[in-house]
Amino acid sequence: MDLKKKPFKLVSHDRRTKKGVVAGSLEELMLKARALFNLGTEVFLIVLEEDGTEVLDDDYLLYLDNNTKLMVLRANSQWTASFPAVDETDCPGTERSYNPVKILQKLVRSPGSIALLSEEELDVVSSFTEHQNIGIPQSEVEYLIETCQRELEQKKKIKDALDLVDLYQRAKEQSDKNP
């Protein structure tokens, strides 16, 4: 396999059709998707299956992890979140678990992706203590952990501020109803 090529998992917009491909560029990926999903001359996008982020260039595509799920989104379709068949809150022990080493490796490859991490992912990295011998220099791991801690604190502050604005808005609406 060409070193610049990576494996990806393509899914249709309804997530019923799944195909595995290897591509080294967005153009190559789109050509393969067009053939595999019988798109002919139809306009379509390639987006991340998990959140609908559009993949626009080779640099971003090649920063993605191997076997990242990508959705082939037809022009007349809209990305929608995937909901599990079973509500995880009803099933003890099925909480999502994140691998801090994988998250750290992703941050080494693409530091800007820290902005896309969820609070849960940031928390997992922030509390990570087993950082010996993970293939990343110790100083870099410590820096990334500190950065994740700061980003988590910032996200919590923003969330608190938004909650306060929401509370204020509801109080204002209530006082407008009952002058």
Side-chain angles (χ1 to χ4, degrees), residues 13-68:
H13 75 282
D14 60 5
R15 295 178 175 86
R16 290 184 186 164
T17 305
K18 300 175 183 179
K19 307 284 183 178
V21 298
V22 173
S25 70
L26 183 57
E27 181 181 0
E28 180 182 8
L29 183 68
M30 291 185 86
L31 285 171
K32 289 183 177 186
R34 186 174 298 285
L36 291 168
F37 290 86
N38 300 315
L39 296 171
T41 60
E42 195 173 336
V43 176
F44 68 97
L45 304 171
I46 300 290
V47 301
L48 294 180
E49 187 271 343
E50 67 186 32
D51 67 3
T53 301
E54 185 177 357
V55 178
L56 295 171
D57 60 36
D58 294 342
D59 290 335
Y60 185 75
L61 180 73
L62 297 176
Y63 268 119
L64 296 173
D65 290 332
N66 286 347
N67 294 307
T68 295

Side-chain angles (χ1 to χ4, degrees), residues 153-167:
E153 289 170 14
Q154 189 67 21
K155 282 190 179 207
K156 285 181 178 179
K157 285 179 184 177
I158 291 169
K159 187 176 180 182
D160 289 346
L162 291 172
D163 288 345
L164 185 60
V165 169
D166 184 50
L167 182 63

Side-chain angles (χ1 to χ4, degrees), residues 79-176:
W79 178 87
T80 55
S82 174
F83 296 102
V86 177
D87 186 351
E88 292 176 359
T89 58
D90 295 336
C91 302
T94 60
E95 300 95 29
R96 203 177 237 181
S97 64
Y98 295 102
N99 182 332
V101 175
K102 286 188 176 191
I103 297 169
L104 286 165
Q105 289 169 339
K106 186 174 187 173
L107 289 173
V108 167
R109 286 192 313 274
S110 177
S113 67
I114 193 168
L116 303 175
L117 296 179
S118 67
E119 285 186 33
E120 294 84 7
E121 291 168 305
L122 290 167
D123 191 44
V124 165
V125 173
S126 295
S127 58
F128 184 57
T129 58
E130 306 293 320
H131 39 83
Q132 267 51 19
N133 303 319
I134 62 168
I136 303 170
Q138 182 74 19
S139 60
E140 195 167 353
V141 170
E142 290 170 1
Y143 175 76
L144 288 170
I145 289 172
E146 289 172 12
T147 304
C148 284
Q149 289 168 339
R150 286 193 304 274
E151 184 71 16
L152 180 59
E153 289 170 14
Q154 189 67 21
K155 282 190 179 207
K156 285 181 178 179
K157 285 179 184 177
I158 291 169
K159 187 176 180 182
D160 289 346
L162 291 172
D163 288 345
L164 185 60
V165 169
D166 184 50
L167 182 63
Y168 172 76
Q169 186 69 27
R170 285 186 283 153
K172 174 115 173 74
E173 288 171 1
Q174 193 68 20
S175 69
D176 289 346

